[in-house]
């Protein structure tokens, strides 16, 4: 008979999670760096007690707990912290997140969606109301009159790559093992949710001791089928204007060197998605920079002419394809290299389901001796040189621009330029939503494969501050610059308190432009006249939000949360602020650089489009004009339905 140990469900869960490891290429690390959480009546006596018990036992033994606990301030934010950590770790390590019943748990829903959309692993432990229902309805319980087993945690089902609810102790082992399998599968990973009713968490059970043995989960590198490499090579050999689109899968596979070797051997230029930016470093001869709606003119010009497009680790989001207008050539064909068959089948492409590094290595060999024509190499160089000159101008705008700026304000592009030029190559820039991600995608010059981190699958306002903490925890040797506008800042600044608590140095560059810069511009372009996008007082006469700028002091707000704040009013002051932030002690906690910019000045245009429908009928002339432009752009959309591989 197997030996057993008596533990509660929560104690068994924490003990199990602390003994899980991930391994790839012979290198292993703990799968979970720790547990982020906020306690309430649903988990304080279950998961909370179990974490305390493990921490005290570790302390008595003179070691750090296998699953260290970090107190967060917002449940959505702690998931962002875990996701930022997992992305920086190439999906090989993540965090556990625990929350109490009701709003504590449902606050994690946005984080779950973000993780799954971006294919990033995180383990969520939302607490549930009583499985026994003896005290129903309890505080914060949803009563569904049509079903007795529905809880708010069911909302996690469509947002998770794996979901289970443990209502009996006997169910826990299979739930835990299934969760680990999905978290460590590069094709399946995302948010994994185990719903734990509060009474079940505290229930004791006799567990087989082998459940708590150390387990090593192998993270696979699926190799491509030879026939698929041959089919892809045949399509590429037929091309005269091929283009690579590098996505996040290049980074997660560690395929940057393989991509560089492929581009150098074949002469095929490389454009990058938001997740794939940095796949080639700034200065590489084959790099054309960002592609799509927030792309460079170099990449988008080549994309419009491309006859074969090779997607590597991309899910082909609408910003990448410019809402299916980027690849405009008649008869353009696609080759899709992706670890997930779901993504490899998009764009009617020739699918190669495999690890990006393994597929690129095989494809380089299959194309040995084949290169693009010399005139194509020259065209790449010319287009890139023209774009790079525009970036220089955006970083250091001429007097014709600066003289017109309101009250001597800086431009957002010049702020980006200063941070880019004064930060170290290994430092990380981070962003998620608003106009900043688009400007970073076009303008930021990546000098290290881990130097660029923009969440643009869910483009979630409020991601920046908590995710910067996750990146810094993942690698304390790098400074992290979180670029955030005032709109994103107001969504979720409170996780700075966690950074103060844990002495985590992050540098937040808070760009104040008194409203939603990105959506204001979009609103104007769609004929909606920037309605509801500026932070203004309500005017007493018109009753509209068009009065004075709101008297909100975001610098004082940051100070009140414990951050070291530097206020900036000029380029020289910005240079000094970045220098001061770089010199800030590594255990000194967060630094916030507050700078006002002029929202009327934009970065160089991508000469691209994004499909956002415009009202077909309106009394507003601005809307009618915008709709006419929209109809014209729609004519440029492509279906990409023709088979990429013709037998």
């Amino acid at each position: 008979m197997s030996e057993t140990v008596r533990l509660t469900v929560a104690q068994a869960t924490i003990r199990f999670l602390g003994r899980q490891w991930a391994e790839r290429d012979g290198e292993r690390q703990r799968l979970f760096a720790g547990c982020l959480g906020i306690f309430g009546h649903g988990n304080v006596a279950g998961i909370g007690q179990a974490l305390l018990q493990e921490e005290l036992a570790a302390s008595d033994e003179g070691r750090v707990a296998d699953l260290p606990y970090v107190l967060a301030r917002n449940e959505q934010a702690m998931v962002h912290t875990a996701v930022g950590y997992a992305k920086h770790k190439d999906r090989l390590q993540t965090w556990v997140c625990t929350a109490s019943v009701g709003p504590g748990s449902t606050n994690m829903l946005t984080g779950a969606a973000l993780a799954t959309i971006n294919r990033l692993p995180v383990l969520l432990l939302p607490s549930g109301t009583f499985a026994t229902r003896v005290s129903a309805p309890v505080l914060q319980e949803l009563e569904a009159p049509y079903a007795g087993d529905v809880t708010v945690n069911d909302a996690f089902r469509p947002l998770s790559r794996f979901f289970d609810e443990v209502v009996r102790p006997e169910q826990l082992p299979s739930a835990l093992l299934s969760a680990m399998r999905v978290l460590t599968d590069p094709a399946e990973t995302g948010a994994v949710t185990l719903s734990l009713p509060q009474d079940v968490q505290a229930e004791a059970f006799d567990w087989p001791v082998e459940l708590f043995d150390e387990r090593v989960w192998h993270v696979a590198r699926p190799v491509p089928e030879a026939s698929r490499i041959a089919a892809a090579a045949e399509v590429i050999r037929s091309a005269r204007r091929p283009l690579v689109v590098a996505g996040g899968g290049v980074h997660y596979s560690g395929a940057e060197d393989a991509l560089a070797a492929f581009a150098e051997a074949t002469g095929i230029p490389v454009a990058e998605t938001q997740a794939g930016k940095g796949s080639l470093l700034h200065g590489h001869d084959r790099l054309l920079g960002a592609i799509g709606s927030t792309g460079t003119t170099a990449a988008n010009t080549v994309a419009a002419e491309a006859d074969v497009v090779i997607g590597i680790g991309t899910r082909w989001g609408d910003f990448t394809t410019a809402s299916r207008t980027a690849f405009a050539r008649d008869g353009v064909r696609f080759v899709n290299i992706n670890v997930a068959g779901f993504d490899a089948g998009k764009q009617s492409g020739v699918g190669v389901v495999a690890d990006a590094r393994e597929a690129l290595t095989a494809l380089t060999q299959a194309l040995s001796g084949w290169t693009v024509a010399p005139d194509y190499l020259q065209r790449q160089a010319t287009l890139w040189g023209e774009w790079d000159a525009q970036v220089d101008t955006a970083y250091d705008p001429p007097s014709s621009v600066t003289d017109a700026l309101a009250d001597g304000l800086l431009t957002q592009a010049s702020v980006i330029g200063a941070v880019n030029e004064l930060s170290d190559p290994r430092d990380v820039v981070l962003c998620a939503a608003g106009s900043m991600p688009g400007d970073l995608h076009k303008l930021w010059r990546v000098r290290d494969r881990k130097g660029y981190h923009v969440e643009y699958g869910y483009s979630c306002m409020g991601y920046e501050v908590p995710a910067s903490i996750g990146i810094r925890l993942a690698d304390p040797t790098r400074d992290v610059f979180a670029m955030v506008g005032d709109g994103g800042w107001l969504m979720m600044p409170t996780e700075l308190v966690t950074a103060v608590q844990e002495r985590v140095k992050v540098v937040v560059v808070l760009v104040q432009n008194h409203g939603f810069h990105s959506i204001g511009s979009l609103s104007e372009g769609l004929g909606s006249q920037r309605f509801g996008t500026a932070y203004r007082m309500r005017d007493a006469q018109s009753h509209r939000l068009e009065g004075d700028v709101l008297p909100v002091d975001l610098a004082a707000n940051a100070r009140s949360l414990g951050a070291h704040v530097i206020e900036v009013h000029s380029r020289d002051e910005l240079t000094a602020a970045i220098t001061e932030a770089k010199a800030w002690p590594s255990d000194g906690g967060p630094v916030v650089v507050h700078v006002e910019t002029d929202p009327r000045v934009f970065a160089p245009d991508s000469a691209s489009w994004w499909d956002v429908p415009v009202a077909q009928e309106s009394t507003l002339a601005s809307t009618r004009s915008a709709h006419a432009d929209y109809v014209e752009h729609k004519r440029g959309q492509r279906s990409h339905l023709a088979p990429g591989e013709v037998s």
Side-chain angles (χ1 to χ4, degrees):
M1 187 173 180
S2 175
E3 183 182 353
T4 62
V5 57
R6 191 163 182 81
L7 301 167
T8 68
V9 167
Q11 292 162 3
T13 298
I14 297 306
R15 183 170 297 188
F16 175 92
L17 296 177
R19 296 177 182 181
Q20 306 306 298
W21 296 72
E23 172 273 323
R24 186 175 71 175
D25 300 335
E27 297 183 8
R28 74 175 207 164
Q29 53 277 308
R30 287 191 183 278
L31 180 54
F32 301 106
C35 180
L36 294 150
I38 299 176
F39 295 135
H41 69 273
N43 62 346
V44 66
I47 294 294
Q49 188 279 336
L51 287 164
L52 168 65
Q53 186 168 299
E54 286 291 308
E55 184 175 290
L56 291 176
S59 180
D60 289 343
E61 297 170 11
R63 61 179 178 84
V64 176
D66 291 340
L67 204 68
Y69 177 71
V70 172
L71 169 61
R73 267 70 196 174
N74 178 285
E75 292 89 355
Q76 177 184 323
M78 68 189 184
V79 183
H80 294 335
T81 297
V83 168
Y85 187 101
K87 182 172 182 176
H88 196 78
K89 287 288 189 177
D90 292 333
R91 307 193 295 197
L92 299 175
Q93 194 175 24
T94 186
W95 284 68
V96 182
C97 296
T98 178
S100 188
V101 298
S105 288
T106 56
N107 279 349
M108 296 195 295
L109 289 169
T110 296
L114 182 146
T116 296
I117 286 171
N118 286 285
R119 279 62 158 177
L120 291 166
V122 61
L123 178 61
L124 308 180
L125 302 180
S127 299
T129 50
F130 283 78
T132 59
R133 308 180 193 171
V134 294
S135 300
V138 299
L139 181 65
Q140 300 174 325
E141 179 176 358
L142 171 73
E143 288 186 282
Y146 59 86
D149 62 347
V150 172
T151 77
V152 295
N153 287 352
D154 287 305
F156 285 97
R157 291 180 184 271
L159 306 179
S160 304
R161 294 297 291 169
F162 177 79
F163 175 94
D164 201 355
E165 184 172 31
V166 178
V167 296
R168 290 180 57 85
E170 294 92 336
Q171 297 171 339
L172 183 66
S174 65
L176 289 170
L177 293 170
S178 294
M180 300 308 106
R181 174 188 60 78
V182 174
L183 287 168
T184 56
D185 185 334
E188 293 292 328
T189 196
V192 168
T193 303
L194 298 182
S195 176
L196 301 175
Q198 57 183 318
D199 53 342
V200 175
Q201 288 184 38
E203 188 174 346
F205 189 75
D206 294 317
W207 308 94
V209 293
E210 57 266 28
L211 176 64
F212 308 109
D213 290 345
E214 281 195 355
R215 295 174 192 269
V216 181
W217 299 85
H218 175 66
V219 180
R221 287 191 180 277
V223 297
E225 294 182 45
S227 63
R228 306 317 297 154
I229 290 294
E234 181 181 4
V235 172
I236 295 169
R237 284 181 182 275
S238 73
R240 297 186 69 254
R241 292 287 186 268
L243 172 67
V244 164
V245 175
V250 173
H251 288 310
Y252 302 141
S253 172
E256 296 89 352
D257 290 344
L259 175 60
F262 175 81
E264 290 158 9
T266 62
I268 300 176
V270 175
E272 301 167 315
T273 71
Q274 280 281 17
K277 191 170 172 70
S279 294
L280 294 183
L281 301 184
H282 178 70
H284 194 285
D285 288 343
R286 301 281 71 80
L287 179 63
L288 294 179
I291 192 168
S293 299
T294 54
T296 70
T297 53
N300 285 338
T301 298
V302 170
E305 301 169 353
D307 50 3
V308 170
V309 181
I310 308 156
I312 305 172
T314 176
R315 65 190 190 94
W316 293 118
D318 68 335
F319 261 70
T320 297
T321 68
S323 299
R324 294 198 174 183
T325 62
F327 310 109
R329 187 183 180 118
D330 289 340
V332 61
R333 293 193 286 172
F334 292 83
V335 172
N336 299 324
I337 296 171
N338 206 295
V339 73
F342 176 76
D343 291 316
K346 293 177 179 177
Q347 309 288 92
S348 301
V350 176
V352 180
V353 180
D355 173 81
R357 191 187 74 179
E358 298 299 311
L360 278 168
T361 300
L363 195 55
T364 303
Q365 294 172 350
L367 291 169
S368 178
W370 181 89
T371 62
V372 302
D375 66 317
Y376 192 39
L377 296 177
Q378 182 57 50
R379 179 153 177 75
Q380 296 171 36
T382 300
L383 290 168
W384 177 253
E386 293 170 352
W387 173 260
D388 212 30
Q390 290 191 62
V391 176
D392 286 336
T393 301
Y395 277 11
D396 188 13
S399 58
S400 60
V401 173
T402 57
D403 291 348
L405 294 174
D407 302 321
L409 299 177
L410 297 172
T411 68
Q412 184 163 281
S414 65
V415 172
I416 291 172
V419 176
N420 201 174
E421 292 168 351
L422 295 170
S423 60
D424 290 340
R426 294 186 72 256
D427 291 345
V428 183
V429 67
L430 176 145
C431 195
S435 61
M436 189 75 74
D439 288 356
L440 287 167
H441 194 206
K442 289 185 285 191
L443 303 178
W444 191 266
R445 290 163 168 167
V446 182
R447 299 159 290 168
D448 182 274
R449 67 175 292 263
K450 286 294 184 183
Y452 186 86
H453 182 123
V454 172
E455 187 285 301
Y456 219 55
Y458 209 40
S459 186
C460 184
M461 297 177 71
Y463 176 84
E464 297 88 348
V465 172
S468 69
I469 297 171
I471 296 171
R472 180 71 179 189
L473 290 172
D475 188 350
T477 69
R478 300 174 187 260
D479 279 337
V480 184
F481 286 84
M483 309 286 285
V484 60
D486 49 342
W489 168 268
L490 287 168
M491 290 280 182
M492 203 166 292
T494 50
E495 218 58 29
L496 277 184
V497 179
T498 301
V500 172
Q501 165 191 288
E502 300 295 326
R503 299 184 177 88
V504 175
K505 177 189 176 183
V506 294
V507 182
V508 180
V509 180
L510 172 52
V511 178
Q512 167 70 284
N513 52 44
H514 302 287
F516 296 117
H517 185 185
S518 173
I519 298 303
S521 175
L522 179 64
S523 172
E524 187 171 39
L526 301 178
S528 296
Q529 305 175 11
R530 294 181 176 261
F531 174 70
T533 63
Y535 292 164
R536 296 289 189 272
M537 299 290 291
R538 189 171 297 281
D539 184 79
Q541 278 72 46
S542 69
H543 305 292
R544 302 187 66 207
L545 296 177
E546 56 183 13
D548 294 337
V549 170
L550 295 181
V552 177
D553 189 340
L554 298 186
N557 173 224
R559 286 192 188 93
S560 75
L561 298 175
H564 175 64
V565 178
I566 311 169
E567 296 188 64
V568 167
H569 304 92
S570 68
R571 176 61 186 255
D572 288 343
E573 289 183 3
L574 179 59
T575 297
I578 297 169
T579 302
E580 181 181 342
K582 284 291 299 174
W584 192 249
S586 60
D587 60 351
V591 178
V592 174
V593 177
H594 180 278
V595 54
E596 289 202 47
T597 63
D598 192 328
R600 301 170 303 166
V601 181
F602 299 97
D605 187 59
S606 66
S608 191
W609 184 62
W610 184 38
D611 189 350
V612 179
V614 181
Q616 294 181 0
E617 185 67 33
S618 176
T619 60
L620 303 178
S622 58
T623 304
R624 293 196 300 271
S625 175
H627 184 262
D629 291 340
Y630 178 75
V631 171
E632 184 63 29
H633 278 108
K634 288 288 284 185
R635 294 192 179 103
Q637 282 188 309
R638 300 288 188 268
S639 64
H640 300 312
L641 293 177
E645 184 176 4
V646 181
S647 58

